[in-house]
Amino acid sequence: MKSIPSVPLAMQTYPLPEMQARAQQFFNLMQQRHSTRDFADKPVPLDVIMKCLETAGRAPSGANQQPWHFVVVTDPDIKHKIRLAAEEEERAFYAGRASEEWLEALAPLGTDADKSFIDKAGCLVVIFAQSYGLADDGSRIKHYYVQESVGIATGFLIAALHNAGLACLTHTPSPMGFLGEILQRPKNERAYINLVVGYPAEDAQVPTHALEKKKTNEFVTIL
Ligand code: IYR
């Protein structure tokens, strides 16, 4: 490897029993995470959201370009605008844009074009992928592995929110160009996910279908 400016890696390691206990504890925590569409009508603590976003910003990314932008929306009027625009796209989706096969796959989740949870949940974190960077002189900077990088950062964010006791839903209306328009994002950004975030409602439900997880030996090969 070439000699480059570097610093010592500051990372905690553990004796084996502690590794095993920590791996189990993190599994126990994440096992409880499910997307829900039932949110409490209650504001979320912004400092907690910001700390979770700070965690998301620690995700690895192609060439460390961090090709993401997160827009936190708590303003009820903007949330409502987004809800209305989302519902318009979703009505077209459920009324014919989606294939029969897609609708069949969604049937166990019971979803429909009603996105009233957008009004109800404490906030939206609208995640944008920067397809390319913009230099100060307006020229384009090529970005690498954008989808992968933003996906990993989103995973960090979802885990961090759950760890803090906030529920979320990865809402992906299709198409979602309206998010960039409403939120006035620059032309190098594409909406990636509308992450609906909030306290779960007291009677929040999860479709039983979501509990059906593959067994580890079905999705892992050890050679
Ligand atoms: N965007 C629609 C449909 C939808 C698609 C997938 I893939 C899901 O996992 C869930 C829903 C909606 O939000 O209703």
Side-chain angles (χ1 to χ4, degrees):
M1 178 127 175
K2 285 181 196 150
S3 172
I4 47 162
S6 64
V7 293
L9 172 65
M11 181 192 144
Q12 186 77 55
T13 60
Y14 309 95
L16 182 58
E18 202 176 337
M19 285 174 88
Q20 290 162 334
R22 291 177 69 95
Q24 181 67 51
Q25 279 159 15
F26 193 65
F27 171 76
N28 293 347
L29 173 72
M30 294 310 290
Q31 192 184 25
Q32 287 194 337
R33 201 217 76 86
H34 288 287
S35 294
T36 186
R37 291 167 179 78
D38 303 326
F39 291 92
D41 189 353
K42 184 176 163 184
V44 287
L46 255 192
D47 61 327
V48 173
I49 300 288
M50 288 306 290
K51 190 51 71 178
C52 294
L53 285 166
E54 222 178 296
T55 301
R58 296 303 165 119
S61 63
N64 191 33
Q65 286 172 320
Q66 305 157 60
W68 46 63
H69 192 89
F70 301 84
V71 180
V72 181
V73 184
T74 57
D75 183 309
D77 295 334
I78 304 177
K79 281 202 295 152
H80 192 62
K81 236 183 179 177
I82 290 175
R83 173 193 169 178
L84 294 183
E87 287 183 334
E88 198 176 319
E89 296 295 4
E90 298 288 19
R91 276 193 296 274
F93 174 86
Y94 285 99
R97 199 185 279 152
S99 64
E100 273 308 308
E101 193 180 5
W102 194 345
L103 292 178
E104 241 170 68
L106 292 179
L109 299 177
T111 54
D112 59 24
D114 173 8
K115 302 301 169 198
S116 44
F117 51 74
I118 292 178
D119 281 333
K120 221 166 175 207
C123 79
L124 308 176
V125 178
V126 187
I127 303 166
F128 289 89
Q130 297 178 330
S131 326
Y132 54 91
L134 284 175
D136 289 341
D137 65 0
S139 61
R140 291 182 179 207
I141 300 164
K142 190 164 166 38
H143 279 170
Y144 303 96
Y145 296 102
V146 172
Q147 297 299 309
E148 292 84 349
S149 302
V150 182
I152 295 168
T154 300
F156 272 38
L157 176 60
I158 291 172
L161 290 167
H162 177 67
N163 179 56
L166 287 169
C168 71
L169 172 73
T170 49
H171 177 222
T172 50
S174 169
M176 48 181 152
F178 66 88
L179 289 167
E181 282 162 31
I182 294 175
L183 300 173
Q184 299 180 0
R185 298 310 305 162
K187 62 179 187 323
N188 62 323
E189 293 186 3
R190 297 276 162 278
Y192 183 80
I193 281 177
N194 175 28
L195 196 69
V196 185
V197 181
Y199 291 95
E202 268 180 35
D203 60 347
Q205 300 290 304
V206 171
T208 55
H209 176 70
L211 307 180
E212 293 169 22
K213 298 300 186 194
K214 288 183 181 173
K215 291 204 175 59
T216 318
N217 64 10
E218 292 178 273
F219 66 89
V220 176
T221 300
I222 299 177
L223 299 176

